[in-house]
């Protein structure tokens, strides 16, 4: 019965979350059009799955899986790049992506001490494909943030089964946000953080491409929403005397997907711009923050078949056409982070938590109205 209820809620919650998102409340970040779902899954073929682990009064953690496509990614690799905003993190798989410019596994997000388990599970997943029977090298890509303030992180409760379930749960529809998957135990700007997502759709005259972003928000700074100094107005921000234990440390994993025909060089340029979106929310990429952006393209010309031979003939977008994509990535990243805060919830009381508030939405809306930034 509990499993049936869990499955029912997992189907119901995305639609509930979408009806209460900041955009629907009048918070319109940026000027570009949003995709139909306003999610990373607006990029064709991309799917997202979560596994949320909440146990007793001390375990608040999980796994989020991002699949560039539903096929055998090792055999049909996608162009990719990784940009390090601040490298206080444990991202697995960076060097091969940097060297070869592609992804050969899904991307897994989890907590800091579960990276090895998730990497092992990704290897199992990749080797399970019949076409990969002769494979002797796999580059699993696993990102993380530290959820140790809300979660018994030293207990290392994530198992390979949990990772496999996140992969199996992946779908191309609406993405559940907030305290789910890898965002179950995260904290952002001193409030409950989590998973957030957003997208932008370029006009047909500029290619009609989609940009989707998913974030795992777990960082600090001085919160701004659409340029409004919300953190200051609320009196809660890093290094404020009354919050001297809040030093702005934390991490943010940012995943950027696009269907534009880009190679790894321009994907890295695109990834860099996502950090501007983080900065626009007031994030400071502090000394102890692991801020990484993984960008990939699903366009057919941005893929490389493992069995291909000879010369590759691939179309690429010109450098001169990149600026609108940069703008889209900035807007989508900024909105995804704000979405993660608005969707966050606190389930039960964790013995590992100090008194942690949720973002006070009504106060935030009043502040935005005061600054004339709330649209009808």
């Amino acid at each position: 019965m509990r499993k049936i209820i869990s499955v029912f809620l997992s189907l119901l919650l995305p639609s509930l979350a979408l009806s209460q998102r900041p955009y629907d409340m009048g918070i319109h970040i940026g000027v570009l059009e949003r995709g139909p779902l306003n999610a990373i899954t607006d990029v064709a073929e991309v799917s997202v799955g979560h596994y949320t682990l909440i146990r007793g009064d001390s375990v608040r953690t999980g796994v989020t899986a991002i699949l560039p496509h539903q096929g055998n990614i090792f055999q049909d690799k996608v162009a990719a790049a990784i940009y390090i905003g601040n490298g206080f993190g444990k991202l697995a798989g960076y060097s091969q992506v940097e060297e070869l410019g592609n992804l050969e596994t899904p991307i897994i997000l989890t907590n800091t001490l579960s990276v090895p388990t998730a990497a092992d599970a990704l290897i199992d997943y990749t080797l399970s494909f019949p076409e990969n029977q002769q494979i002797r090298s796999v580059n699993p890509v696993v990102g993380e943030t530290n959820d140790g303030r809300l979660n018994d992180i030293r207990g290392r409760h994530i198992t390979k089964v949990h990772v496999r379930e996140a992969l199996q749960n992946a779908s191309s529809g609406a993405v559940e946000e907030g305290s789910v998957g890898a965002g179950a135990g995260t904290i952002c700007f001193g409030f409950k953080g989590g998973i957030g997502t957003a997208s932008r759709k370029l006009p047909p005259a500029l290619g009609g491409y989609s940009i989707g972003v998913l974030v795992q928000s777990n960082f600090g700074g001085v919160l701004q929403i659409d340029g409004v100094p919300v953190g200051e107005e609320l009196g809660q921000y890093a290094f404020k005397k009354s919050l001297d234990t809040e030093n702005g440390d934390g991490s943010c994993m940012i995943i950027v997907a696009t269907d534009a025909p880009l190679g790894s060089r321009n994907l890295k340029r695109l990834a860099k711009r996502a950090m501007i979106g983080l900065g626009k929310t007031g994030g400071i990429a502090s000394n102890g923050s692991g801020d990484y952006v993984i960008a990939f393209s699903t366009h057919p010309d941005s893929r490389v078949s493992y069995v291909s031979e000879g010369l590759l003939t691939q179309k690429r977008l010109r450098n001169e056409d990149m600026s609108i994509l940069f703008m889209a990535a900035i807007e989508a990243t900024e909105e995804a982070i704000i979405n993660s805060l608005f969707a966050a919830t606190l389930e039960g009381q964790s013995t590992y938590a100090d008194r942690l508030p949720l973002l006070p939405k009504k106060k935030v809306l009043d502040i935005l109205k005061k600054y004339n930034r709330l649209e009808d």
Side-chain angles (χ1 to χ4, degrees):
M1 177 61 70
R2 185 176 179 183
K3 185 174 180 63
I4 293 173
I5 293 171
S6 177
V7 171
F8 173 75
L9 287 175
S10 70
L11 294 173
L12 178 65
L13 283 173
S15 60
L16 292 176
L18 286 174
S19 67
Q20 297 296 318
R21 299 174 87 189
Y23 183 79
D24 301 307
M25 300 176 186
I27 303 173
H28 296 176
I29 293 170
V31 298
L32 296 175
E33 180 183 349
R34 287 152 183 78
L37 298 171
N38 196 18
I40 194 171
T41 47
D42 282 320
V43 178
E45 299 192 70
V46 175
S47 57
V48 175
H50 299 302
Y51 183 88
T52 306
L53 183 61
I54 296 176
R55 184 184 298 153
D57 61 359
S58 62
V59 179
R60 304 286 185 276
T61 192
V63 179
T64 295
I66 303 96
L67 284 68
H69 60 78
Q70 291 287 343
N72 185 338
I73 300 170
F74 190 94
Q75 296 288 335
D76 193 12
K77 306 177 197 297
V78 298
I82 298 174
Y83 178 70
I84 302 175
N86 192 71
F88 198 110
K90 286 77 187 168
L91 174 65
Y94 166 77
S95 63
Q96 185 171 311
V97 176
E98 177 73 9
E99 184 71 20
L100 301 183
N102 54 45
L103 279 173
E104 60 186 34
T105 72
I107 300 164
I108 295 294
L109 304 179
T110 187
N111 72 63
T112 305
L113 296 186
S114 295
V115 170
T117 299
D120 198 14
L122 263 184
I123 293 171
D124 287 349
Y125 169 84
T126 302
L127 297 181
S128 71
F129 286 83
E131 307 93 325
N132 297 346
Q133 288 182 0
Q134 302 304 314
I135 300 306
R136 294 181 175 84
S137 172
V138 178
N139 185 49
V141 175
V142 182
E144 54 78 29
T145 70
N146 193 307
D147 57 16
R149 185 173 156 194
L150 292 179
N151 173 53
D152 172 25
I153 193 169
R154 287 173 59 90
R156 290 178 284 178
H157 300 280
I158 293 296
T159 69
K160 291 199 290 183
V161 172
H162 300 150
V163 179
R164 185 164 64 247
E165 290 206 25
L167 289 162
Q168 292 172 346
N169 291 339
S171 73
S172 57
V175 177
E176 191 176 354
E177 300 178 296
S179 305
V180 295
T186 63
I187 299 171
C188 191
F189 295 112
F191 303 103
K192 183 67 188 70
I195 297 295
T197 189
S199 70
R200 294 295 183 269
K201 177 77 171 177
L202 302 192
L206 295 174
Y209 302 116
S210 295
I211 292 277
V213 172
L214 181 142
V215 302
Q216 178 191 19
S217 66
N218 192 47
F219 62 96
V222 184
L223 176 61
Q224 296 182 35
I225 298 179
D226 200 16
V228 174
V230 171
E232 291 182 65
E233 289 277 356
L234 293 174
Q236 178 153 319
Y237 49 86
F239 302 106
K240 185 176 184 292
K241 185 176 180 181
S242 62
L243 288 174
D244 55 6
T245 57
E246 167 60 52
N247 59 12
D249 281 349
S251 298
C252 190
M253 287 298 310
I254 304 172
I255 313 302
V256 180
T258 184
D259 56 8
L262 306 181
S264 59
R265 180 180 58 81
N266 268 331
L267 283 167
K268 175 161 278 193
R269 298 178 72 209
L270 187 67
K272 290 178 182 178
R273 272 58 181 194
M275 286 299 298
I276 298 176
L278 183 147
K280 290 186 73 176
T281 67
I284 60 175
S286 66
N287 174 71
S289 195
D291 303 313
Y292 297 88
V293 187
I294 304 173
F296 63 84
S297 170
T298 64
H299 192 281
D301 278 335
S302 296
R303 297 188 185 183
V304 178
S305 171
Y306 178 68
V307 297
S308 62
E309 297 180 359
L311 296 175
L312 295 171
T313 302
Q314 297 173 316
K315 294 179 181 178
R316 291 284 186 265
L317 209 60
R318 300 181 312 153
N319 293 334
E320 291 77 11
D321 296 325
M322 289 298 298
S323 295
I324 188 69
L325 292 172
F326 294 160
M327 184 171 167
I330 293 167
E331 288 189 9
T333 302
E334 180 182 5
E335 185 168 359
I337 291 169
I338 301 307
N339 285 348
S340 76
L341 285 162
F342 269 76
T345 57
L346 284 171
E347 176 134 359
Q349 177 63 40
S350 170
T351 58
Y352 288 80
D354 300 322
R355 186 164 178 259
L356 179 71
L358 295 172
L359 184 73
K361 297 178 202 174
K362 185 177 186 313
K363 288 184 179 179
V364 169
L365 293 174
D366 288 342
I367 292 167
L368 291 169
K369 190 172 183 179
K370 168 185 169 183
Y371 283 80
N372 296 315
R373 296 304 296 168
L374 201 61
E375 300 187 25
D376 295 328

